Amino acid sequence: MRVGFIGLGGIGKPMARCIARAGFDITVNDLRDEPLKNLERHGARVARSAREVASVSDVVLASLPSNEASEEVALGVDGVLAGASNGDIYIELSTISPDVVRRISREAAKGGVEVLDAPVSGGLAQRREGRLSVMVGGDEATLARARPVLEAIGERIFHVGGIGTGATVKLVNNLLNAIGAVATMEALALGVKAGLSVESMKEVISESSGASRAFDGTVASIGRSSEPPPGGTANMGLRTIGKDIRLAVELAGDLGVPLSVGSSALQLYLAGFGHGWADKESWVIMELVERLSGVRVRPRIDV
């Protein structure tokens, strides 16, 4: 099976490397030279456009940062659908609007191309080791054909429904995670200002009804630097998390679902953008919560 991969950013690059490591014949494309050279060293071929990737691939995956990028890569003059053939599969890994996924699927169907939306969840280690969770929307038979490729990047593959449902469940998941992170930060600020230590709160809450993955992850993160690694991108970047919450809030607006807590969380992330923190790790929001609360929660070593 010939595989194409488009978008070699902080999430896409390690996934593409996992696919190459699994022994697939892989062709890649990105706007930047560095990740292309890196994948070439791992046995990948380099294509000049998304159209060229599709023309030499049976299955094409894309990991992109926005609705606009996904539409351009799939539907543009030099996009995937311009080079794909009847029977090919296009897999949208990006966290984007379900409506965009469904539009791409409708256009793809005109040429006999099948589409899956399959956003992923997991940290840097899971990306590198091919142990992500993959949330798939689309035809079950199409998933069966694409499963060998998806198994190269994910150890848990969930088929959640028809086209667009993968994108939807990813937005719901990320909304919950973001709300949990903000709630944890505010609760920690309250506790510290009232005289508690972060360590004592962690010890008690981790074994009590307030426990959650969001709590554990936030407490573990806020003591680390919010700066991205030298020459790299943030693992859990504020720009990416903020975009995901905004998409979830927009979806709720389209469906008439009130998101009073989610909308409030979004305002903090937008305030982080206003402070010029978009490229930092998402836990930089703790600094904003500290300023609003008049208390220091993070260790002094993280300035």
Side-chain angles (χ1 to χ4, degrees):
M1 184 183 294
R2 302 173 301 167
V3 178
F5 202 104
I6 302 164
L8 303 174
I11 300 176
K13 180 179 171 182
M15 287 196 288
R17 288 181 61 172
C18 285
I19 293 169
R21 190 168 61 237
F24 287 98
D25 179 351
I26 185 170
T27 302
V28 298
N29 175 255
D30 193 85
L31 296 176
R32 298 160 301 148
D33 289 335
E34 183 277 325
L36 292 174
K37 292 176 181 177
N38 181 276
L39 264 295
E40 200 168 24
R41 289 194 294 270
H42 286 82
R45 296 185 181 90
V46 172
R48 294 168 294 178
S49 67
R51 179 175 186 166
E52 184 179 339
V53 170
S55 70
V56 297
S57 303
D58 305 305
V59 177
V60 177
L61 303 94
S63 178
L64 302 161
S66 66
N67 284 344
E68 294 76 17
S70 288
E71 289 180 307
E72 179 62 26
V73 164
L75 306 176
V77 174
D78 284 320
V80 169
L81 298 187
S85 302
N86 181 65
D88 287 350
I89 299 174
Y90 180 56
I91 303 177
E92 181 59 83
L93 301 169
S94 317
T95 303
I96 56 175
S97 166
D99 285 344
V100 172
V101 173
R102 286 189 280 263
R103 179 187 172 203
I104 292 171
S105 181
R106 288 193 299 270
E107 293 300 316
K110 297 175 182 178
V113 177
E114 300 169 70
V115 175
L116 297 172
D117 58 309
V120 301
S121 180
L124 187 57
Q126 287 77 23
R127 298 173 204 169
R128 290 173 173 169
E129 298 164 10
R131 297 189 294 107
L132 293 164
S133 294
V134 187
M135 314 163 197
V136 185
D139 180 69
E140 197 164 0
T142 305
L143 171 57
R145 290 176 54 207
R147 184 174 285 273
V149 179
L150 293 176
E151 287 178 342
I153 63 173
E155 65 177 1
R156 296 171 300 276
I157 299 173
F158 303 97
H159 183 227
V160 295
I163 196 72
T165 58
T168 302
V169 74
K170 178 62 185 295
L171 292 181
V172 170
N173 177 80
N174 284 16
L175 175 67
L176 278 171
N177 185 61
I179 290 172
V182 168
T184 297
M185 293 176 192
E186 292 182 344
L188 291 175
L190 171 62
V192 170
K193 195 158 189 180
L196 298 174
S197 69
V198 172
E199 292 73 21
S200 65
M201 285 187 283
K202 178 181 178 182
E203 181 180 14
V204 173
I205 294 171
S206 293
E207 301 298 329
S208 303
S209 59
S212 68
R213 286 189 180 183
F215 175 82
D216 292 341
T218 302
V219 171
S221 298
I222 59 171
R224 302 202 298 263
S225 171
S226 60
E227 297 294 334
T233 57
N235 178 36
M236 294 289 289
L238 182 64
R239 184 189 309 277
T240 299
I241 302 300
K243 178 264 295 183
D244 295 352
I245 307 169
R246 176 179 56 79
L247 290 177
V249 171
E250 290 175 355
L251 178 62
D254 292 341
L255 297 175
V257 175
L259 286 186
S260 56
V261 178
S263 298
S264 296
L266 175 59
Q267 296 310 308
L268 275 177
Y269 285 88
L270 293 177
F273 291 171
H275 280 76
W277 297 340
D279 294 321
K280 293 190 176 186
E281 299 286 1
S282 60
W283 51 83
V284 71
I285 293 298
M286 185 73 250
E287 183 176 342
L288 186 57
V289 173
E290 289 174 331
R291 293 182 187 183
L292 293 171
S293 305
V295 66
R296 175 82 184 201
V297 176
R298 294 166 299 148
R300 291 289 172 181
I301 56 172
D302 183 21
V303 178

